[in-house]
Every structure is written in C-alpha cells, then in structure tokens.
Amino acid sequence: MSKSTTISTPGKLMLFGEHSVVYGNPCIVTAVGQRMQAKVTLSGDGTLQIDAPDVHLEEYRKEVSDLGIGDIPKGAKFVEVAVKNLFEKYSVSSGVHVSTQSQFSSKLGFGSSSASTVCVMKALSVLMHLDLPNKEIFDIAYKTVLDVQGKGSGFDIAAAVYGGTLLYQNGGEVIESLEIADIPLIVAYSGVKADTVTLVNGVAALHEKDSQKINGIFEEITQIVGKAKEALQDSDWKTSGALMNENQELLTQLEVSTPKLDAMISAARGAGAYGAKLSGAGGGDCIIALAPKDKTDEVSKAITQAGGEVLTVIVNVTGAKIVE
Ligand code: PMV
C-alpha cells in the first residue's frame, strides 16, 4: 500500500462576475497553468507536519488530536483545517506529513490557499481509500475555506478541483464546464497584493447602505456573465472584450477598482485590446485583457508602460491530478 502521493492543482483567474458571485449569482472562472503541488505522506507518529517554504512555514508540527485548537500560523491554517475537516467528516485519522510547493507567488491572487486545500483533500482521499468524487472534494474544501476565512463564493475551489473554464454559481450548486478554445488572454499583475476579505466587506457595506442599487448592479453583471458564456464558447473575442469593459464599469461602481488598475486597463484598451478588466477582488492583483493576436505585443507593452507586470499564463488547464 502506498503511503505517499503527490497531487497537483491549478490556480485560477476570474473572467467575469466577481463580487456578484458572493451573492449567489453566476461567474466565469478559468484554471491557470501556474500550479500548486503537495506531497502528502501518512505516518504513524500521530502528528500533522507541514512544510510550506513558499509561505515561510517550515517543520510545523501539531498533534492530530489538537488540530484546529490554539494559535495556528497563517501559512498552516488552510491545510490544518482541511485535514481536521476530512478526518471528522469521514471518521478517519492518521499522522500526516504535507509538503507544498507552489509554481506561483501567493501575492498574485491566483488562489494558492484554495489550491493547497484541494491538494490535501485529494491526497487524503487517495491515501485513505475514500475515493471521494469531485463534488465531495469540492464541498469539504469549500467548508474549509469558509471555516478559515469566513467568506468566499468557492469559485476558486471549483477551479482547483475541476479545472477548465467553469460557469459557477451559488456555493457550487452550479458548476458547468464550458467548451472553450484557447483564449487570447493577456494577464498583468498590478504590483499590489489585494486583501479579498476587506474588499468583499467593502461591497457588503455598500449593499447594506443601498441594497436596491447594488442588487441592480449584480443583475447587470449577471446579464453580462450570460452573454459572456455564449461569446466565449463561440470564440467571439471581440464581444467578450466588450463585455469585459461593461463588467469593469460595474466593478468601478462597486468601488473595487484602483487608479493603478484603471491605468493598466486603459493602456490595454488604448493599444488595441478588445476589452480589459480587473480580475478577482480588485484593490490590486491582476488585470486581464483580450486582444487580437496581432496586437498582443503592443497591448503588453502599453500595460508595462502603465506599471503592470505582464505574466505568461496558460488558461483552461486540467484540474486536480495525481502526479505520482
Ligand atoms: O480573492 P480573489 O482575487 O481570488 O477573488 C475574489 C472574488 C470575489 O468574488 C470578490 C470573492 C469570491 O469569493 O468570489
């Protein structure tokens, strides 16, 4: 019996529908080629050990009977609560050693916490012969994110589990894989790390102040997501880009864009992109742009001149998989 397995999960990029998805509305997310990897080994010593050098966590150790109790360092939270939740739900237990390795910096907003949570769930499912279907892995990983973070739509968990490009809604009630060809997407980092919970709370405050107005914005975003689903499946990048611009306008009304993001977005549009928007919570992280193939270089250059860092990102990649 193998006591060790290595699982790889993709990061994610939100294409359309951020913030609105937190209120049960649909969004479109794509899995990216920047992946998280975790080697998970069952041990007989009754402890959880975590090594996660990417988040400066080395040789963290906790008795399995104490999981979730006391102070947990930031870098260990998701993995520790993931192991605890799985052990409790399936009435199993073991010593576990988790060693994670990320192909991307956690500052980019590609969903490193969710990706590592899903790695651990999938690994334990394999090693403990639970053979959990994807939806079970999704549900318990999403519960873990809510336990740790208190908030979140779960879209990033869905991307890590299923991969591809997904229409996602309502805490995972809808997870639909979209048939999409290579998207000519340009991705650029703003240099600013966004704090998702603060931004989600900011939108919640606006919603509390004027729910009618904010619900109206969410309705418009929902319309855009519906049209974007069709346009993306038709490889109609021009329409998809125009929809990105409309989505960005509504995100600006939700007060989550920033002067830096705006500058990068308008540079992309000025250099011939079909459209551009922020991706994710806003406040920083990345922008995405859709551009005709022959304009890619010009658009990338313009974004760089506006202070962005253009990243090489492959989208629409495979979900959680066993590496060995
Ligand atoms: O935290 P990010 O950048 O992955 O994106 C958050 C997207 C939100 O819709 C704002 C929050 C969520 O959980 O869906």
Side-chain angles (χ1 to χ4, degrees), residues 12 14 18-19 21-22 109 152-155 196 200 279-281 285:
K12 54 75 192 166
M14 182 72 96
E18 46 274 271
H19 287 289
V21 66
V22 176
S153 68
F155 80 107
T196 303
V200 170
S279 170
D285 287 351

PDB file of all heavy atoms in Angstrom, residues 12 14 18-19 21-22 109 152-155 196 200 279-281 285, ligand 1:
ATOM      1  N   LYS A  12      -6.217  29.922 -10.392  1.00  0.00           N
ATOM      2  CA  LYS A  12      -7.417  30.385 -11.123  1.00  0.00           C
ATOM      3  C   LYS A  12      -7.352  31.865 -11.477  1.00  0.00           C
ATOM      4  O   LYS A  12      -6.587  32.631 -10.872  1.00  0.00           O
ATOM      5  CB  LYS A  12      -8.671  30.136 -10.304  1.00  0.00           C
ATOM      6  CG  LYS A  12      -8.651  30.728  -8.890  1.00  0.00           C
ATOM      7  CD  LYS A  12      -8.844  32.228  -8.815  1.00  0.00           C
ATOM      8  CE  LYS A  12      -8.545  32.815  -7.465  1.00  0.00           C
ATOM      9  NZ  LYS A  12      -8.411  34.261  -7.465  1.00  0.00           N
ATOM     10  N   MET A  14     -10.389  34.825 -12.378  1.00  0.00           N
ATOM     11  CA  MET A  14     -11.803  35.156 -12.594  1.00  0.00           C
ATOM     12  C   MET A  14     -11.917  35.898 -13.932  1.00  0.00           C
ATOM     13  O   MET A  14     -11.190  36.861 -14.183  1.00  0.00           O
ATOM     14  CB  MET A  14     -12.278  36.063 -11.460  1.00  0.00           C
ATOM     15  CG  MET A  14     -13.721  36.443 -11.540  1.00  0.00           C
ATOM     16  SD  MET A  14     -14.808  35.066 -11.138  1.00  0.00           S
ATOM     17  CE  MET A  14     -15.115  35.378  -9.401  1.00  0.00           C
ATOM     18  N   GLU A  18     -17.022  38.617 -10.659  1.00  0.00           N
ATOM     19  CA  GLU A  18     -16.545  38.687  -9.277  1.00  0.00           C
ATOM     20  C   GLU A  18     -17.463  39.584  -8.439  1.00  0.00           C
ATOM     21  O   GLU A  18     -18.142  40.464  -8.958  1.00  0.00           O
ATOM     22  CB  GLU A  18     -15.089  39.191  -9.175  1.00  0.00           C
ATOM     23  CG  GLU A  18     -14.711  40.391  -9.994  1.00  0.00           C
ATOM     24  CD  GLU A  18     -14.295  40.015 -11.404  1.00  0.00           C
ATOM     25  OE1 GLU A  18     -13.121  39.745 -11.659  1.00  0.00           O
ATOM     26  OE2 GLU A  18     -15.222  40.028 -12.257  1.00  0.00           O
ATOM     27  N   HIS A  19     -17.439  39.395  -7.171  1.00  0.00           N
ATOM     28  CA  HIS A  19     -18.283  40.056  -6.160  1.00  0.00           C
ATOM     29  C   HIS A  19     -19.753  39.663  -6.282  1.00  0.00           C
ATOM     30  O   HIS A  19     -20.351  39.223  -5.312  1.00  0.00           O
ATOM     31  CB  HIS A  19     -18.113  41.585  -6.169  1.00  0.00           C
ATOM     32  CG  HIS A  19     -16.789  41.994  -5.594  1.00  0.00           C
ATOM     33  ND1 HIS A  19     -16.515  41.891  -4.256  1.00  0.00           N
ATOM     34  CD2 HIS A  19     -15.658  42.440  -6.182  1.00  0.00           C
ATOM     35  CE1 HIS A  19     -15.267  42.273  -4.034  1.00  0.00           C
ATOM     36  NE2 HIS A  19     -14.717  42.611  -5.190  1.00  0.00           N
ATOM     37  N   VAL A  21     -20.855  37.085  -7.560  1.00  0.00           N
ATOM     38  CA  VAL A  21     -20.924  35.639  -7.270  1.00  0.00           C
ATOM     39  C   VAL A  21     -21.055  35.362  -5.767  1.00  0.00           C
ATOM     40  O   VAL A  21     -21.620  34.348  -5.361  1.00  0.00           O
ATOM     41  CB  VAL A  21     -19.696  34.898  -7.886  1.00  0.00           C
ATOM     42  CG1 VAL A  21     -18.392  35.321  -7.220  1.00  0.00           C
ATOM     43  CG2 VAL A  21     -19.858  33.392  -7.797  1.00  0.00           C
ATOM     44  N   VAL A  22     -20.566  36.290  -4.941  1.00  0.00           N
ATOM     45  CA  VAL A  22     -20.661  36.105  -3.487  1.00  0.00           C
ATOM     46  C   VAL A  22     -22.133  36.131  -3.039  1.00  0.00           C
ATOM     47  O   VAL A  22     -22.491  35.598  -1.999  1.00  0.00           O
ATOM     48  CB  VAL A  22     -19.831  37.208  -2.764  1.00  0.00           C
ATOM     49  CG1 VAL A  22     -19.965  37.115  -1.247  1.00  0.00           C
ATOM     50  CG2 VAL A  22     -18.364  37.130  -3.174  1.00  0.00           C
ATOM     51  N   GLY A 109      -2.688  36.487  -6.409  1.00  0.00           N
ATOM     52  CA  GLY A 109      -4.147  36.313  -6.336  1.00  0.00           C
ATOM     53  C   GLY A 109      -4.631  35.156  -7.196  1.00  0.00           C
ATOM     54  O   GLY A 109      -5.774  35.137  -7.635  1.00  0.00           O
ATOM     55  N   GLY A 152     -16.463  33.872   1.072  1.00  0.00           N
ATOM     56  CA  GLY A 152     -15.936  33.396  -0.213  1.00  0.00           C
ATOM     57  C   GLY A 152     -17.006  32.605  -0.939  1.00  0.00           C
ATOM     58  O   GLY A 152     -17.798  31.891  -0.321  1.00  0.00           O
ATOM     59  N   SER A 153     -17.018  32.753  -2.252  1.00  0.00           N
ATOM     60  CA  SER A 153     -18.046  32.083  -3.060  1.00  0.00           C
ATOM     61  C   SER A 153     -17.693  30.625  -3.344  1.00  0.00           C
ATOM     62  O   SER A 153     -18.555  29.839  -3.696  1.00  0.00           O
ATOM     63  CB  SER A 153     -18.227  32.825  -4.382  1.00  0.00           C
ATOM     64  OG  SER A 153     -17.057  32.675  -5.167  1.00  0.00           O
ATOM     65  N   GLY A 154     -16.401  30.266  -3.240  1.00  0.00           N
ATOM     66  CA  GLY A 154     -15.964  28.901  -3.545  1.00  0.00           C
ATOM     67  C   GLY A 154     -15.560  28.703  -4.993  1.00  0.00           C
ATOM     68  O   GLY A 154     -15.165  27.601  -5.390  1.00  0.00           O
ATOM     69  N   PHE A 155     -15.580  29.781  -5.796  1.00  0.00           N
ATOM     70  CA  PHE A 155     -15.241  29.647  -7.227  1.00  0.00           C
ATOM     71  C   PHE A 155     -13.812  29.142  -7.425  1.00  0.00           C
ATOM     72  O   PHE A 155     -13.524  28.394  -8.363  1.00  0.00           O
ATOM     73  CB  PHE A 155     -15.442  30.992  -7.951  1.00  0.00           C
ATOM     74  CG  PHE A 155     -14.307  31.961  -7.753  1.00  0.00           C
ATOM     75  CD1 PHE A 155     -13.415  32.221  -8.780  1.00  0.00           C
ATOM     76  CD2 PHE A 155     -14.103  32.586  -6.536  1.00  0.00           C
ATOM     77  CE1 PHE A 155     -12.349  33.082  -8.602  1.00  0.00           C
ATOM     78  CE2 PHE A 155     -13.039  33.452  -6.340  1.00  0.00           C
ATOM     79  CZ  PHE A 155     -12.163  33.704  -7.376  1.00  0.00           C
ATOM     80  N   THR A 196      -8.712  40.173  -0.113  1.00  0.00           N
ATOM     81  CA  THR A 196     -10.056  39.807  -0.585  1.00  0.00           C
ATOM     82  C   THR A 196     -11.135  40.111   0.448  1.00  0.00           C
ATOM     83  O   THR A 196     -12.170  40.709   0.122  1.00  0.00           O
ATOM     84  CB  THR A 196     -10.095  38.303  -0.920  1.00  0.00           C
ATOM     85  OG1 THR A 196      -9.084  38.036  -1.876  1.00  0.00           O
ATOM     86  CG2 THR A 196     -11.438  37.893  -1.497  1.00  0.00           C
ATOM     87  N   VAL A 200     -14.419  42.375  -0.091  1.00  0.00           N
ATOM     88  CA  VAL A 200     -15.766  41.772  -0.017  1.00  0.00           C
ATOM     89  C   VAL A 200     -16.588  42.509   1.065  1.00  0.00           C
ATOM     90  O   VAL A 200     -17.771  42.810   0.863  1.00  0.00           O
ATOM     91  CB  VAL A 200     -15.671  40.250   0.273  1.00  0.00           C
ATOM     92  CG1 VAL A 200     -17.035  39.659   0.607  1.00  0.00           C
ATOM     93  CG2 VAL A 200     -15.084  39.523  -0.945  1.00  0.00           C
ATOM     94  N   SER A 279      -9.390  41.431 -12.420  1.00  0.00           N
ATOM     95  CA  SER A 279      -9.781  40.035 -12.238  1.00  0.00           C
ATOM     96  C   SER A 279      -9.660  39.673 -10.763  1.00  0.00           C
ATOM     97  O   SER A 279      -8.584  39.812 -10.176  1.00  0.00           O
ATOM     98  CB  SER A 279      -8.873  39.124 -13.059  1.00  0.00           C
ATOM     99  OG  SER A 279      -9.087  37.770 -12.711  1.00  0.00           O
ATOM    100  N   GLY A 280     -10.787  39.284 -10.151  1.00  0.00           N
ATOM    101  CA  GLY A 280     -10.747  38.909  -8.737  1.00  0.00           C
ATOM    102  C   GLY A 280     -11.349  40.001  -7.877  1.00  0.00           C
ATOM    103  O   GLY A 280     -12.267  40.714  -8.291  1.00  0.00           O
ATOM    104  N   ALA A 281     -10.811  40.134  -6.682  1.00  0.00           N
ATOM    105  CA  ALA A 281     -11.434  41.023  -5.699  1.00  0.00           C
ATOM    106  C   ALA A 281     -11.278  42.504  -6.036  1.00  0.00           C
ATOM    107  O   ALA A 281     -12.049  43.337  -5.589  1.00  0.00           O
ATOM    108  CB  ALA A 281     -10.840  40.737  -4.330  1.00  0.00           C
ATOM    109  N   ASP A 285      -3.898  43.022  -7.282  1.00  0.00           N
ATOM    110  CA  ASP A 285      -3.829  41.745  -8.013  1.00  0.00           C
ATOM    111  C   ASP A 285      -3.684  41.983  -9.523  1.00  0.00           C
ATOM    112  O   ASP A 285      -2.917  42.817  -9.925  1.00  0.00           O
ATOM    113  CB  ASP A 285      -5.012  40.830  -7.691  1.00  0.00           C
ATOM    114  CG  ASP A 285      -4.924  40.223  -6.282  1.00  0.00           C
ATOM    115  OD1 ASP A 285      -3.870  40.381  -5.640  1.00  0.00           O
ATOM    116  OD2 ASP A 285      -5.897  39.629  -5.834  1.00  0.00           O
TER     117      ASP A 285
HETATM  118  O1  PMV B   1      -9.752  36.819  -3.913  1.00  0.00           O
HETATM  119  P1  PMV B   1      -9.760  36.717  -5.367  1.00  0.00           P
HETATM  120  O2  PMV B   1      -8.957  37.748  -6.004  1.00  0.00           O
HETATM  121  O3  PMV B   1      -9.492  35.362  -5.787  1.00  0.00           O
HETATM  122  O4  PMV B   1     -11.207  36.985  -5.930  1.00  0.00           O
HETATM  123  C1  PMV B   1     -12.280  37.104  -5.156  1.00  0.00           C
HETATM  124  C2  PMV B   1     -13.540  37.071  -5.972  1.00  0.00           C
HETATM  125  C3  PMV B   1     -14.700  37.543  -5.145  1.00  0.00           C
HETATM  126  O5  PMV B   1     -15.859  37.353  -5.938  1.00  0.00           O
HETATM  127  C4  PMV B   1     -14.565  39.011  -4.819  1.00  0.00           C
HETATM  128  C5  PMV B   1     -14.814  36.756  -3.856  1.00  0.00           C
HETATM  129  C6  PMV B   1     -15.292  35.331  -4.018  1.00  0.00           C
HETATM  130  O6  PMV B   1     -15.041  34.543  -3.111  1.00  0.00           O
HETATM  131  O7  PMV B   1     -15.944  35.014  -5.012  1.00  0.00           O
END
